[in-house]
Amino acid sequence: MRVLLLSFYYTPDLCPGSFRAASLADALLATLPAGSHVDVITTMPNRYSKFSAVAPEVEEHAGLTIRRIALPAHQSGMVDQSKAFLAFARSAIKLAKSAEYDLVCATSSRLMTAVLGAWIARSRCTGLYLDIRDIFVDTIKDVLPKYMATIFKPVFSLLERWTIRRADKVNLISAGFADYFSSRYPDQKFSYFTNGIDDEFLYIGAADRPASAPAESLISIVYAGNVGEGQGLHLILPALARRLCGRARFTVIGDGGRRVALENALKEAGSDNVAFLPPMKRHELIAAYQAADVLFVHLNDYDAFKKVLPSKLFEYGASGKPILAGVDGYAAKFVAEEIPNAAVFYPCDADAAVNAFDRLSIKDTRREQFVAKFSRVNIAKEMARDIIASCRQP
């Protein structure tokens, strides 16, 4: 059996999509019948302009071939990203012609990788399994200017409809997506395999510490991840840092399209207790988590984000550190039900964030049940079995 796995990101790139795709490739190799082969078509590392990683164009392992496509230089703007994706799509379609596939699997956040997977599956008359990590059509109205959303939303709605209906089965990474997709595609079959905790993060918690930090020291709050419109750090961190001046210091690890806006907002607010570090490799990130007192996650106050489940919650949860989470909707419910010693506040509300911070116990918390339940290896194994079982064979 030969499987094509499409992902715009893949390790050693630094993002949730890359880690998910690599874990899924490993799980498919372990689950497929003997003699099977997995072909991965992806890109050269490109997630952050300030982080570079060396990766071969073609990588061969037993039963696994990884082909990486070089992209033109691009930033986070829509035009640049569209050009980058078109370059990926053109090359991916050519590469996909080099073998006969029994199954195409596409893991996609911004819809178009799913559309690409559907196109290739249709042209090769193969089964199609989609792993949907975001509701792009639902997000457009929030992240694009109104006039652009008015133009593009009908187009992407048509693409979404064609793509989802083409699939043999669709996995939704968040149960918060269920109402949106089931109401629009009642005849489609859905599964719900979330993001998870990679092995490197499974047992990184430090020893238990006192219930509160010494009065003379500042509490270290770390944010790690993208600094974009979706995270809305420029709308929460300046006011929050100012309110916690003298009590806490913040470190932002990462980069993104709203980094400059965040830096400008911090200057305007007079918040000088925020430091910036570039994107880190995973072993460095683990050390940063271990050195932190509190881990911070935030999503912008958009209706679409009430359905999502930030992948960062899984790493944070495994660390044992207190978590300060500016999320709403399904993510808030998930944190309340699954992660002890985590405080939720309404996004972009600095006063609510301070109140949530005061509810935290500044000590490590053992979360064995959470770690066991959300191991990415176990989730990927179950997902691989679902992929193989649910897709038609030629």
Side-chain angles (χ1 to χ4, degrees), residues 118-158:
W119 180 270
I120 292 174
R122 180 178 180 274
S123 65
R124 308 311 298 274
C125 299
T126 67
L128 174 65
Y129 188 102
L130 297 178
D131 178 39
I132 300 298
R133 308 198 315 270
D134 196 5
I135 311 178
F136 188 64
V137 172
D138 199 33
T139 308
I140 284 176
K141 67 181 186 300
D142 294 323
V143 299
L144 292 182
K146 187 175 181 179
Y147 77 94
M148 292 182 66
T150 302
I151 296 170
F152 287 113
K153 185 171 181 176
V155 176
F156 285 111
S157 294
L158 288 172

Coordinates of all heavy atoms in Angstrom, one line a residue, residues 118-158:
A118 N -7.4 17.1 -2.1 CA -8.6 16.7 -2.8 C -8.3 16.7 -4.3 O -8.8 15.8 -5.1 CB -9.7 17.6 -2.5
W119 N -7.6 17.7 -4.8 CA -7.3 17.8 -6.3 C -6.4 16.6 -6.7 O -6.7 15.9 -7.7 CB -6.6 19.1 -6.6 CG -6.2 19.3 -8.0 CD1 -5.1 18.9 -8.6 CD2 -7.0 19.8 -9.0 NE1 -5.1 19.2 -10.0 CE2 -6.3 19.8 -10.2 CE3 -8.3 20.4 -9.0 CZ2 -6.8 20.3 -11.4 CZ3 -8.8 20.9 -10.2 CH2 -8.1 20.8 -11.4
I120 N -5.4 16.3 -5.9 CA -4.5 15.2 -6.3 C -5.3 13.9 -6.2 O -5.1 13.0 -7.0 CB -3.3 15.2 -5.4 CG1 -2.4 16.4 -5.7 CG2 -2.5 13.9 -5.5 CD1 -1.2 16.6 -4.8
A121 N -6.1 13.7 -5.1 CA -6.8 12.4 -4.9 C -7.8 12.2 -6.1 O -7.9 11.1 -6.6 CB -7.6 12.5 -3.6
R122 N -8.4 13.3 -6.5 CA -9.4 13.2 -7.6 C -8.6 12.8 -8.9 O -9.1 12.0 -9.7 CB -10.1 14.5 -7.8 CG -11.1 14.6 -8.9 CD -11.8 15.9 -9.0 NE -12.8 16.0 -10.0 CZ -12.6 16.3 -11.3 NH1 -11.3 16.6 -11.6 NH2 -13.5 16.3 -12.2
S123 N -7.5 13.5 -9.2 CA -6.8 13.2 -10.4 C -6.2 11.8 -10.5 O -6.0 11.3 -11.5 CB -5.7 14.3 -10.6 OG -4.7 14.2 -9.6
R124 N -5.9 11.3 -9.3 CA -5.3 9.9 -9.2 C -6.3 8.8 -8.9 O -5.9 7.7 -8.7 CB -4.1 9.9 -8.2 CG -3.1 11.0 -8.3 CD -2.6 11.1 -9.8 NE -1.9 10.0 -10.2 CZ -0.6 9.7 -10.0 NH1 0.1 10.5 -9.4 NH2 -0.1 8.6 -10.5
C125 N -7.6 9.3 -8.7 CA -8.7 8.3 -8.4 C -8.3 7.5 -7.1 O -8.4 6.2 -7.1 CB -8.9 7.4 -9.6 SG -9.4 8.2 -11.0
T126 N -7.9 8.2 -6.1 CA -7.6 7.5 -4.8 C -8.5 7.9 -3.7 O -9.2 8.9 -3.8 CB -6.1 7.8 -4.4 OG1 -6.1 9.2 -4.1 CG2 -5.2 7.5 -5.5
G127 N -8.4 7.2 -2.6 CA -9.1 7.6 -1.4 C -8.5 8.9 -0.8 O -7.4 9.3 -1.1
L128 N -9.3 9.6 0.0 CA -8.9 10.9 0.6 C -9.3 11.0 2.0 O -10.5 10.8 2.4 CB -9.5 12.1 -0.2 CG -9.2 13.5 0.3 CD1 -7.7 13.8 0.3 CD2 -10.0 14.5 -0.4
Y129 N -8.3 11.3 2.9 CA -8.6 11.6 4.3 C -8.0 13.0 4.6 O -6.9 13.3 4.3 CB -7.8 10.5 5.2 CG -8.2 10.5 6.6 CD1 -9.1 9.6 7.2 CD2 -7.6 11.5 7.5 CE1 -9.4 9.6 8.5 CE2 -7.9 11.5 8.8 CZ -8.8 10.5 9.4 OH -9.1 10.6 10.7
L130 N -8.9 13.8 5.2 CA -8.5 15.1 5.5 C -8.4 15.3 7.1 O -9.2 14.8 7.8 CB -9.5 16.1 5.0 CG -9.7 16.2 3.5 CD1 -10.8 17.2 3.1 CD2 -8.4 16.6 2.8
D131 N -7.3 16.0 7.5 CA -7.1 16.4 8.8 C -7.2 17.9 8.9 O -6.3 18.6 8.5 CB -5.7 15.9 9.3 CG -5.4 16.3 10.7 OD1 -6.3 16.2 11.6 OD2 -4.2 16.7 11.0
I132 N -8.4 18.4 9.4 CA -8.7 19.8 9.4 C -8.3 20.5 10.7 O -8.8 20.1 11.8 CB -10.1 20.1 9.1 CG1 -10.5 19.5 7.7 CG2 -10.5 21.6 9.1 CD1 -9.7 20.1 6.5
R133 N -7.4 21.4 10.7 CA -6.9 22.0 11.9 C -7.4 23.4 12.2 O -7.0 24.1 13.2 CB -5.3 22.0 11.9 CG -4.7 20.7 11.6 CD -3.3 20.6 11.9 NE -2.5 21.7 11.6 CZ -1.8 21.9 10.4 NH1 -1.9 21.0 9.5 NH2 -1.1 23.0 10.2
D134 N -8.2 23.9 11.3 CA -8.8 25.3 11.5 C -10.0 25.4 10.6 O -10.2 24.6 9.6 CB -7.8 26.4 11.1 CG -8.1 27.7 11.7 OD1 -9.2 27.8 12.4 OD2 -7.4 28.7 11.4
I135 N -10.9 26.4 10.9 CA -12.0 26.6 10.0 C -11.7 27.9 9.3 O -12.1 29.0 9.7 CB -13.4 26.7 10.8 CG1 -13.5 25.6 11.8 CG2 -14.5 26.8 9.8 CD1 -14.8 25.7 12.6
F136 N -11.1 27.8 8.2 CA -10.6 29.0 7.5 C -11.7 29.9 7.0 O -11.6 31.1 7.2 CB -9.7 28.6 6.3 CG -9.0 29.7 5.6 CD1 -8.1 30.4 6.3 CD2 -9.3 30.1 4.3 CE1 -7.4 31.5 5.6 CE2 -8.7 31.1 3.7 CZ -7.7 31.9 4.3
V137 N -12.8 29.3 6.5 CA -13.9 30.1 6.1 C -14.5 30.9 7.2 O -15.0 32.1 7.0 CB -15.0 29.2 5.4 CG1 -16.2 30.0 5.1 CG2 -14.4 28.6 4.1
D138 N -14.6 30.4 8.4 CA -15.1 31.0 9.5 C -14.2 32.1 10.1 O -14.7 33.0 10.7 CB -15.4 29.9 10.6 CG -16.4 30.4 11.7 OD1 -17.3 31.2 11.3 OD2 -16.3 30.0 12.8
T139 N -12.9 32.0 9.8 CA -11.9 32.9 10.4 C -11.8 34.1 9.5 O -11.4 35.2 10.0 CB -10.6 32.2 10.5 OG1 -10.8 31.0 11.3 CG2 -9.6 33.1 11.3
I140 N -12.1 34.0 8.2 CA -11.8 35.1 7.2 C -12.4 36.4 7.7 O -11.7 37.5 7.6 CB -12.3 34.7 5.8 CG1 -11.4 33.7 5.2 CG2 -12.5 35.9 5.0 CD1 -11.9 33.2 3.9
K141 N -13.6 36.4 8.2 CA -14.3 37.6 8.5 C -13.6 38.4 9.6 O -13.8 39.6 9.8 CB -15.7 37.3 8.9 CG -15.9 36.5 10.2 CD -17.4 36.3 10.5 CE -17.6 35.6 11.8 NZ -16.9 34.3 11.9
D142 N -12.8 37.7 10.4 CA -12.1 38.3 11.6 C -10.7 38.8 11.2 O -10.3 39.8 11.8 CB -12.1 37.3 12.7 CG -13.4 37.0 13.3 OD1 -14.3 37.9 13.3 OD2 -13.7 35.8 13.7
V143 N -10.0 38.0 10.4 CA -8.6 38.3 10.1 C -8.4 39.2 8.9 O -7.3 39.7 8.7 CB -7.8 37.0 10.1 CG1 -7.9 36.3 11.4 CG2 -8.2 36.1 8.9
L144 N -9.4 39.3 8.0 CA -9.2 40.1 6.8 C -10.0 41.4 6.9 O -11.1 41.4 7.6 CB -9.7 39.3 5.6 CG -8.8 38.1 5.1 CD1 -9.4 37.5 3.9 CD2 -7.4 38.5 4.9
P145 N -9.6 42.4 6.2 CA -10.5 43.6 6.2 C -11.9 43.2 5.6 O -12.0 42.3 4.8 CB -9.7 44.5 5.2 CG -8.3 44.1 5.3 CD -8.4 42.6 5.5
K146 N -12.9 44.0 6.0 CA -14.2 43.6 5.6 C -14.4 43.5 4.1 O -15.1 42.6 3.6 CB -15.2 44.7 6.2 CG -16.7 44.3 6.0 CD -17.6 45.3 6.7 CE -19.1 44.9 6.6 NZ -20.0 45.8 7.3
Y147 N -13.9 44.4 3.3 CA -14.1 44.4 1.9 C -13.4 43.1 1.3 O -14.0 42.5 0.3 CB -13.5 45.7 1.2 CG -12.0 45.7 1.1 CD1 -11.4 45.3 -0.1 CD2 -11.2 46.2 2.1 CE1 -10.0 45.4 -0.2 CE2 -9.9 46.3 2.0 CZ -9.3 45.9 0.8 OH -7.9 45.9 0.7
M148 N -12.3 42.7 1.8 CA -11.6 41.5 1.3 C -12.4 40.3 1.7 O -12.5 39.3 0.9 CB -10.2 41.5 1.8 CG -9.3 42.5 1.3 SD -7.6 42.4 1.9 CE -7.1 40.8 1.1
A149 N -12.9 40.3 3.0 CA -13.7 39.1 3.4 C -14.9 38.9 2.6 O -15.3 37.8 2.2 CB -14.0 39.3 4.9
T150 N -15.5 40.0 2.2 CA -16.8 40.0 1.4 C -16.5 39.4 0.0 O -17.3 38.6 -0.5 CB -17.3 41.4 1.2 OG1 -17.6 42.0 2.4 CG2 -18.6 41.4 0.3
I151 N -15.3 39.6 -0.5 CA -14.9 39.1 -1.8 C -14.5 37.6 -1.7 O -14.9 36.8 -2.5 CB -13.7 39.9 -2.4 CG1 -14.2 41.3 -2.7 CG2 -13.2 39.2 -3.7 CD1 -13.0 42.3 -3.1
F152 N -13.7 37.3 -0.7 CA -13.0 36.0 -0.7 C -13.9 34.9 0.0 O -13.7 33.7 -0.3 CB -11.7 36.1 0.0 CG -10.6 36.7 -0.9 CD1 -10.1 38.0 -0.5 CD2 -10.2 36.1 -2.0 CE1 -9.1 38.6 -1.3 CE2 -9.2 36.8 -2.8 CZ -8.7 38.0 -2.4
K153 N -14.7 35.3 1.0 CA -15.4 34.2 1.7 C -16.3 33.3 0.8 O -16.2 32.1 1.0 CB -16.3 34.9 2.8 CG -16.9 33.8 3.7 CD -17.6 34.4 4.9 CE -18.2 33.3 5.7 NZ -18.8 33.8 7.0
P154 N -17.0 33.9 -0.2 CA -17.8 33.0 -1.0 C -16.9 32.0 -1.8 O -17.3 30.9 -2.0 CB -18.6 34.0 -2.0 CG -18.6 35.2 -1.2 CD -17.4 35.3 -0.5
V155 N -15.8 32.5 -2.3 CA -14.8 31.7 -3.0 C -14.3 30.5 -2.2 O -14.4 29.3 -2.6 CB -13.7 32.5 -3.5 CG1 -12.6 31.6 -4.3 CG2 -14.1 33.6 -4.5
F156 N -13.9 30.8 -1.0 CA -13.4 29.8 -0.1 C -14.5 28.9 0.4 O -14.2 27.7 0.7 CB -12.6 30.4 1.1 CG -11.2 30.9 0.7 CD1 -11.0 32.3 0.7 CD2 -10.2 30.1 0.3 CE1 -9.7 32.8 0.3 CE2 -9.0 30.6 -0.1 CZ -8.7 31.9 -0.1
S157 N -15.7 29.4 0.5 CA -16.8 28.5 0.9 C -17.0 27.5 -0.1 O -17.3 26.3 0.2 CB -18.1 29.4 1.1 OG -17.9 30.2 2.2
L158 N -17.0 27.8 -1.4 CA -17.1 26.9 -2.5 C -16.0 25.8 -2.5 O -16.2 24.6 -2.6 CB -17.2 27.6 -3.8 CG -18.4 28.4 -4.1 CD1 -18.3 29.2 -5.4 CD2 -19.6 27.4 -4.3

